[in-house]
């Protein structure tokens, strides 16, 4: 069995403050099954690996190939996307002449990626469990994408073509990064939270 998978299964369970019984209940498997995965006697099948990855909010390849215990479970791309969005908006804010209301709107949009960095940093330092921090990040990035595209489509505050284009592109980048599976997972989590 893959040693990194064994390490990661233990790491993510412990990072999320779960014992084997609790994890078994969440995944609808038995406690001995969890134990056999973590000792390397058996390996989860691909469907179960996908469920485990979705539960911990990490890609399957991170479970299989990455030493997650060394740096939390944050992908560099999650931080990089925030930096890209932040820089696009800062450059646009400082180079385009627009009405004051449009500038204030861009200032608000700039704050979102800056604030979304906080849960990533807390998860990376193991000060916040990933089951809390990563949904906050995903929901915030989704909100940013919707606000960016929505404000550009309705030309909020008569922002002009430069700001419109930047807001639209940033919204597309954010939503494109999240991708179909993360958005589906977010909708599933919201439905689960509202029906409980």
């Amino acid at each position: 069995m893959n040693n990194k998978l064994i390490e990661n299964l233990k790491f993510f369970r412990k990072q999320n403050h779960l014992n084997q019984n609790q994890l078994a209940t969440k995944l609808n498997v038995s406690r001995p099954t969890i134990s056999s995965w973590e000792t390397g006697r058996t390996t989860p099948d691909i469907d179960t690996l996908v469920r485990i990855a979705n539960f911990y909010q990490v890609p399957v390849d991170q479970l299989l190939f990455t030493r997650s215990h060394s740096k939390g479970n944050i992908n560099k791309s999650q931080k990089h996307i925030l930096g890209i969005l932040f820089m696009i908006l800062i450059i646009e804010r400082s180079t385009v002449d627009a009405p004051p209301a449009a500038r204030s709107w861009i200032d608000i949009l700039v704050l979102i990626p800056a604030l979304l960095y906080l849960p990533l940093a807390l998860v990376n330092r193991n000060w916040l469990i990933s089951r809390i921090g990563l949904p906050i990040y995903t929901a915030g990035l989704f909100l940013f994408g919707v606000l960016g595209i929505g404000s550009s489509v309705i030309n909020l505050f008569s922002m002009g073509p430069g700001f419109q284009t930047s807001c639209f592109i940033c919204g597309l980048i954010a939503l494109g990064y999240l991708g179909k599976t993360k958005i589906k997972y977010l909708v599933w989590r919201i439905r689960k939270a509202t029906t409980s």
Side-chain angles (χ1 to χ4, degrees):
M1 183 174 184
N2 181 339
N3 286 335
K4 289 181 185 171
L5 176 60
I6 294 169
E7 291 174 16
N8 288 337
L9 290 173
K10 289 178 193 175
F11 170 77
F12 286 123
R13 180 178 56 79
K14 290 177 181 178
Q15 184 191 32
N16 285 278
H17 307 288
L18 297 170
N19 61 36
Q20 289 181 342
N21 285 328
Q22 292 167 324
L23 181 59
T25 301
K26 303 253 184 215
L27 297 175
N28 292 327
V29 297
S30 67
R31 194 219 42 89
T33 301
I34 301 291
S35 176
S36 68
W37 294 341
E38 291 184 356
T39 57
R41 287 190 306 270
T42 62
T43 305
D45 62 36
I46 190 66
D47 292 334
T48 307
L49 279 173
V50 170
R51 280 191 304 153
I52 294 168
N54 284 338
F55 178 74
Y56 291 132
Q57 290 276 304
V58 297
V60 173
D61 64 335
Q62 187 171 354
L63 277 178
L64 294 170
F65 306 115
T66 305
R67 290 212 154 150
S68 299
H69 60 277
S70 60
K71 278 278 195 183
N73 62 349
I74 300 301
N75 292 330
K76 287 182 181 178
S77 64
Q78 289 173 312
K79 292 178 186 176
H80 292 199
I81 197 74
L82 295 177
I84 290 167
L85 296 172
F86 184 79
M87 292 308 298
I88 290 171
L89 292 173
I90 287 291
I91 290 168
E92 189 67 24
R93 169 71 168 84
S94 62
T95 59
V96 173
D97 189 28
R103 286 183 174 275
S104 296
W105 177 247
I106 293 292
D107 292 342
I108 291 169
L109 287 180
V110 165
L111 284 177
I112 295 173
L115 291 174
L116 288 178
Y117 185 79
L118 182 63
L120 292 182
L122 293 175
V123 169
N124 202 37
R125 294 183 184 270
N126 294 324
W127 292 348
L128 180 67
I129 60 174
S130 62
R131 285 189 330 188
I132 294 171
L134 296 180
I136 291 170
Y137 169 83
T138 303
L141 200 57
F142 179 76
L143 176 68
F144 176 86
V146 170
L147 289 175
I149 291 173
S151 65
S152 69
V153 169
I154 64 171
N155 194 12
L156 190 65
F157 306 118
S158 301
M159 63 176 78
F163 275 179
Q164 271 185 288
T165 304
S166 294
C167 287
F168 189 80
I169 288 171
C170 286
L172 280 180
I173 290 170
L175 293 179
Y177 176 75
L178 287 177
K180 187 176 178 181
T181 56
K182 286 194 179 189
I183 292 171
K184 277 185 178 179
Y185 183 75
L186 177 65
V187 169
W188 174 78
R189 293 281 295 212
I190 291 170
R191 283 184 184 161
K192 185 177 175 184
T194 56
T195 58
S196 296

